[in-house]
Amino acid sequence: MATFFGEVVVAPSRAGVDDEESAEEGCEETPEDREIRRELEKKREIDVCWTLKSGVPTESSADELFVCSKLILAIGHNAAAFLSSFILDSVCWEVIGAVKLWNEWCRTSSTTNVLPTDSFCLFYRLISDPTVWLCQCSCYVAEDQQFQWLEKVFGCMRKEGLQVTILSTCPVADYKTQESTLTLPSPFLKALKTKEFKEQVCCPLLEQPNIVRDLPAAVLSYCQVWQIPAVLYQCYTDIIKLDTVTIEAFKPLLSSKVLKSLVKVKFHI
Amino acid sequence: MFVPCDHGGLSATSDFKGFTLLMPAVSVGNVGQLAIDLVISTLDMTKVGYFYTDCLVPMVGNNPYATAEENSVELSINAEVYSLPSKKLVVLQIRSPFIKNKYRPFCQTLLSWVKSSKCARVVLLSSSHAYQRDDEQLLGTPLRYLLTPDLEKAVGGLMQELNWKEMEKVAAYPGINDTEKVLHIPGGGITKRLFTESCSKGIQMAVLLKFCSEGDNIPDAFALVNYLNEWLQLIKSASDNSTDTSSQWKIPSSWRLLFGNGLPPALF
């Protein structure tokens, strides 16, 4: 097909890869194929390890679910760094869980003492109010792992009274607009919310025909289907790596109802 | 699984007994999905639920059929169900590709929902690679149909009257043995699997497909939806002596900017 500038490119089918057709046309899976597939699936399984201290009333057992009133989820390095800079500290928050996963793009570190550039997925809880949770997920969760992530994380929580806030970033080149993205002042924030979310949002809503993908989309879809109030703040940025300008673009969120009370106070000596 | 918008159990809006289920296959040029967009947008169908599944790549966005500021803020996900009880029509729209190895589980979940919701029949809109046509298929109409045996009994005669062309079978071993023929729908995604499973499960299913290539597939979508309309008569044509209803299909607002943003002025 020809692009805007007239060059001819080989376009992969937008309908996706058809390799399933060849798989079902011919022979059924051999036992070896099945074994290989199972091993690969096992390797790509997600493990969620909760490290709550004993004696805490909200411990999860086979039939008890965590009570969670607020879940703030930062996906990607910049969103995670925003929470580290303005919300998280070692005094008010404790680590309560970690997600271990592997895919072609990353492997999570098993330590909880992480650097901003590491790939990790950690859960924290506010000590003064154990129903307020925070998650920094700077590792890439592949598309075949996103559903697992959802079920294993949300499967441990009571959905009643839960509100979810998601922070995420994506390239400004993905933003569809009448003008060229070259002239757009980036980074900028756009929001999407579920039907049940009734509070004010801190920035304009994301207009059609723009869409959101990956883990932020998976979480928001889950909340929309199961009627959980949730809002996603997507930061469109032209910087791929960890960057302070992008981190600061999330600052309007500090005046939101959820984050206002959680902003850490800096003591200047 | 089907999750209704209102969680009050099986309400009036999610009773599909005797309805026709219209759905796309994720196939070359996304023609089926574009055609479904036209149907939902033109008939102003109401969203009645979600098809919550781990088989499709997740995606969200605001209402793709928004016509005004007020209705533009409703969130949409990758698989949603719309209904129009006056025409006994229920539509499933799929907005993202399948995750690897999830074709078969999706087909199984879908067909078991078709059975449990007691839909009368399924109409699948799809497409197939134009470059794989043989010499005969290069001539004449690029539109084809397929009917499962159970639906053939019900409407087979109508297809003859409409002068529709059935999808041809191809040789299983071309060049070696031309007698054994199989159904082959290259670029059709789950079309063939859904069709063969429906045949064996006794489900009434029709497949309507168009030969096309990747590119600007809007004209293909119009061709397919007009083809569908010849049979289901979802909208009436403006004049009595023409079956061309192209001008009456409403393009949804989400079809804007399909081929990219504006150009940077500094380029010139």
Side-chain angles (χ1 to χ4, degrees), chain A residues 13-15 17-21 24-25 146-147 175-178 181 205-206 208 212 221-222 224 227, chain B residues 5 7 27 30 50 52 54 58-60 62 73 100 103 185 187 192-193 214-215 217 256 261-262 264:
Chain A
S13 172
R14 281 179 264 128
V17 180
D18 247 354
D19 54 12
E20 276 292 310
E21 235 207 74
E24 52 98 347
E25 289 253 31
Q146 286 156 13
F147 193 82
Y175 185 67
K176 292 212 163 60
T177 174
Q178 200 66 43
T181 51
L205 290 175
L206 186 64
Q208 271 290 351
V212 170
S221 300
Y222 183 93
Q224 174 76 355
Q227 298 186 337
Chain B
C5 281
H7 284 196
S27 56
N30 306 92
Y50 309 98
Y52 184 62
D54 63 337
M59 65 131 285
V60 287
N62 272 329
V73 297
K100 200 169 164 55
Y103 286 63
I185 309 177
K192 183 179 160 184
R193 184 188 285 281
E214 293 284 347
N217 299 107
R256 283 178 60 233
N261 295 346

Side-chain angles (χ1 to χ4, degrees), chain B residues 193-218:
Chain B
R193 184 188 285 281
L194 261 185
F195 181 72
T196 44
E197 299 253 322
S198 299
C199 287
S200 57
K201 287 188 163 75
I203 291 176
Q204 293 194 11
M205 175 183 280
V207 174
L208 270 56
L209 66 83
K210 184 175 193 294
F211 290 116
C212 69
S213 304
E214 293 284 347
D216 180 356
N217 299 107
I218 295 176

Side-chain angles (χ1 to χ4, degrees), chain A residues 145-210:
Chain A
Q145 297 172 314
Q146 286 156 13
F147 193 82
Q148 252 194 82
W149 192 100
L150 279 180
E151 294 289 308
K152 290 193 175 174
V153 169
F154 283 92
C156 296
M157 292 177 194
R158 284 245 305 263
K159 317 283 184 297
E160 297 83 35
L162 172 64
Q163 183 178 292
V164 180
T165 305
I166 311 156
L167 282 67
S168 167
T169 53
C170 78
V172 72
D174 287 350
Y175 185 67
K176 292 212 163 60
T177 174
Q178 200 66 43
E179 325 124 40
S180 154
T181 51
L182 221 69
T183 49
L184 269 181
S186 66
F188 57 88
L189 277 184
K190 291 284 178 184
L192 278 177
K193 58 186 170 116
T194 63
K195 197 166 177 192
E196 299 298 314
F197 187 84
K198 307 288 186 210
E199 285 171 24
Q200 279 270 63
V201 290
C202 307
C203 64
L205 290 175
L206 186 64
E207 320 83 356
Q208 271 290 351
N210 289 289

